[in-house]
Structure formats: structure tokens, C-alpha cells
Amino acid sequence: GRRGKFEQADGGTLFLDEVSDLSLSAQAKLLRVIQDLNVERVGGNGARRVDVRIVAATNRGLADLTERRLFRADLFYRLSGIDVRVPTLRERRGDVLELAQFFLDRHRPTHPLRLSTLAADALLNYAWPGNVRELERLMERAVALAETDTIEVDDLPGAVGGVYADAVVPALKRSETIRAWTTRYARLVSDRCPGNKREACRILGISYHTLQT
């Protein structure tokens, strides 16, 4: 006797997340509903007409899955009326800090937290293979472990803040000058380009003369 999701969304919009994970049998049922705009409750004995707009999301390419016969072609064409591609987080790094602060505020609405300059820079330079979900989990972790009102680079997981914690923080503690820091970095790049100083100059964005001095 309970209404299903399609009936609950009657006259509105139904959002189907990760539609690519549907089994082939579930895809067939979904296709039938979309085509006929009729649903039947579990255990029911009559169809009910619904008027629903469908928005479907997936993190995998449906066209590719269709070619590999892992997703029904007829359902794919039914769902692909208007395609909207959301760029990955690493393609829109300008959103990273704003999203990070949003998640910090969400998971700690009282006593707001902020990111230190180094922590923010570490977030901006991370590749984010898990996209926004990974960023939210990371901020949730930071909230749980925070001992002060500022998230430092040391508070981030090693995969995110490790490079900064290993290279930048010790330099700060030693109060290194910018000259000493850049000289050390130039040596590291030169070591990675053995015998090819011009390639090292290209990576560093400096002239050959500057490297020699």
C-alpha cells in the first residue's frame, strides 16, 4: 500500500544517482516506466499513471558502457535528451577552497574552522581522484581531529599534505630565506635532469645563465 519513488515524485522531479550501477533487469523496469509513464506497486494489481521528470547522474560514461553492452542502448537514448558534463574537481580548482570551507562549516556549524595558507595550497595542488566526495570526507576528518580553530598542513592525510609537510614545514622551522629555498629546489630539479641543464631551465622557467649563477 506504500507509494514508491515514482509516485512520490509525481508532478515533480526524480533524481536517479549512479544510474550506471543498475542491473540489466532493473534497467528494463526503468525503461518500461519511462516509456509508459505507468507504475505498479509491489503486490498491487493495477497500474498508476505518473508525470515525472527524470534527472540521472553517473560517474561513468554511459556511451562506453552501452558499446560494451553493460548498459541498455534503448535506456541510454531515453535518458540522454540533455547531457550536462560536470568537470572533475581537478579541472575546476577554483572551487576547491570554497567547497572545503562549505564542508568545514557543515560539519562544524559552531566554532568555525579555517584553513591555514599552506593547508589551502596543499588542497589546491592535490589531484582529487575521488572528486567532491573525497574532499568532503577529508574535511569531515579534519573537523574530527582538529585541536585548534585552524587546519594546518600537518592535519591533512599524507597523500594530500605530505609533500608540503616534508618540504615546506621544515624550511619554515629553520627560517630559511627565499634564496636558500629556491636554490635547494633548483638543485633538486637539476638532479632529475642529469646532464641536461637546458631541460632543467625549462622546468624552472629561468635562463641558463641564472641557473649557472
Side-chain angles (χ1 to χ4, degrees), residues 191-204:
D191 290 343
R192 292 188 178 185
C193 304
N196 193 341
K197 291 186 177 181
R198 296 197 181 278
E199 175 63 12
C201 290
R202 186 191 66 79
I203 296 173
L204 291 166

Side-chain angles (χ1 to χ4, degrees), residues 14-19 30 54-58 62 79 82 84:
L14 179 64
F15 177 60
L16 303 175
D17 197 11
E18 303 298 355
V19 70
L30 176 60
I54 294 176
V55 176
T58 175
L62 291 185
L79 292 175
I82 300 176
V84 179

